[in-house]
Amino acid sequence: MISGFSSNSELVQSLIRDGYIKSQTVARAFLEVDRADFVWPGNEKLAYVDEPLVLGDTGQTISAPSMIAIMLEALELKRYEHVLEIGTGSGYSAALISRIVSPGSVVTVELSYRLYLFARKNLERYSNVIPVLGDGSKGFPPYSREELYDKAVIMAAAQKIPDELLSQVKNDGFVLAPVGGRGYQDLIKKWKNGREESYGACIFVPLRSL
C-alpha cells in the first residue's frame, strides 16, 4: 500500500524539509492549493502521496508534488507575470502558478476534452486562470506583441521545445520543459536567445498534438 501524509500541510512541510521547495512564494502557493481538490474522483486518499497519480483512463497524470515544486522554483515566478502553461491536466499546477503571479494571469492549454472539462471545474475559484481547449504544441498566441508571455512551461515530455512557444514569450523570457524521449527526459529551461540550462532528469507522459 502506498503511504502518504494525512494533510496538505504535512505534504508541504515534507517538500520543504527535503529541499524541493526553497522559496516562501512557492511554499505559500502549495499551502493555499490543496492537491486533494485536483485528483481524479476516487483517488482522494492518495492526494498527499508524493507520486504521480493517473487521471482516470485519459492516459494522463497529475505530477508528483516534488516534481512540480522543482518546476515552480525553476520558473522563478513573480507577481504580475503572464504565464503560458501547456498540459493543464487536472489544473493543479495552473492553480499553483496562479497564486504566485496574482494579480498576473495563467493561460493553460489542454488537448483532452475530458480533462479540459475536469480542470475547468477545478479551477473555477481561480479567477486569474484561463483554461483553453486546444493543441498546446502550438501554444496559444497572444493577441499582440505587447501581450507576449513572460514565461511558458510544458507539463509533458517534448522531443524539443517548439519554436512556436519561444516566439510567444518576451525577449527576456524562456520556456521550461521536459525534453527527451519516452520514459526519460531532462528538464530544460530555454531562453528566447537560445541559451539553455538543465535541471536534471525527469519522467513525464509525452506531449500530444493534433
Side-chain angles (χ1 to χ4, degrees), residues 66-159:
S66 56
M67 189 70 246
I68 296 178
I70 290 170
M71 297 181 82
L72 293 186
E73 294 288 359
L75 281 168
E76 300 178 277
L77 298 164
K78 300 177 180 63
R79 292 186 69 201
Y80 295 96
E81 286 189 326
H82 187 38
V83 179
L84 173 64
E85 180 193 49
I86 305 304
T88 311
S90 67
Y92 181 49
S93 52
L96 289 164
I97 293 170
S98 78
R99 295 303 84 202
I100 301 174
V101 302
S102 179
S105 61
V106 185
V107 173
T108 180
V109 185
E110 175 56 53
L111 182 64
S112 164
Y113 183 61
R114 287 182 66 199
L115 282 181
Y116 164 73
L117 292 178
F118 181 60
R120 188 175 69 176
K121 185 176 186 301
N122 294 339
L123 291 165
E124 285 177 348
R125 76 189 74 175
Y126 300 91
S127 59
N128 62 332
V129 180
I130 305 166
V132 174
L133 178 65
D135 185 350
S137 67
K138 298 178 174 58
F140 190 72
Y143 295 111
S144 67
R145 291 194 60 80
E146 289 71 30
E147 296 178 312
L148 290 174
Y149 303 99
D150 292 285
K151 294 158 184 174
V153 57
I154 305 176
M155 302 300 294
Q159 292 291 330

Side-chain angles (χ1 to χ4, degrees), residues 74-76 78 81-83 148-153 161 165-176 189-196:
L75 281 168
E76 300 178 277
K78 300 177 180 63
E81 286 189 326
H82 187 38
V83 179
L148 290 174
Y149 303 99
D150 292 285
K151 294 158 184 174
V153 57
I161 294 177
L165 261 65
L166 283 168
S167 72
Q168 293 171 21
V169 299
K170 296 178 180 178
N171 287 336
D172 59 348
F174 59 78
V175 178
L176 179 71
K189 181 191 287 188
K190 183 172 183 178
W191 279 263
K192 196 162 184 172
N193 63 13
R195 183 164 69 93
E196 293 188 5

Side-chain angles (χ1 to χ4, degrees), residues 56-71:
D57 58 358
T58 65
Q60 305 301 301
T61 62
I62 177 173
S63 296
S66 56
M67 189 70 246
I68 296 178
I70 290 170
M71 297 181 82

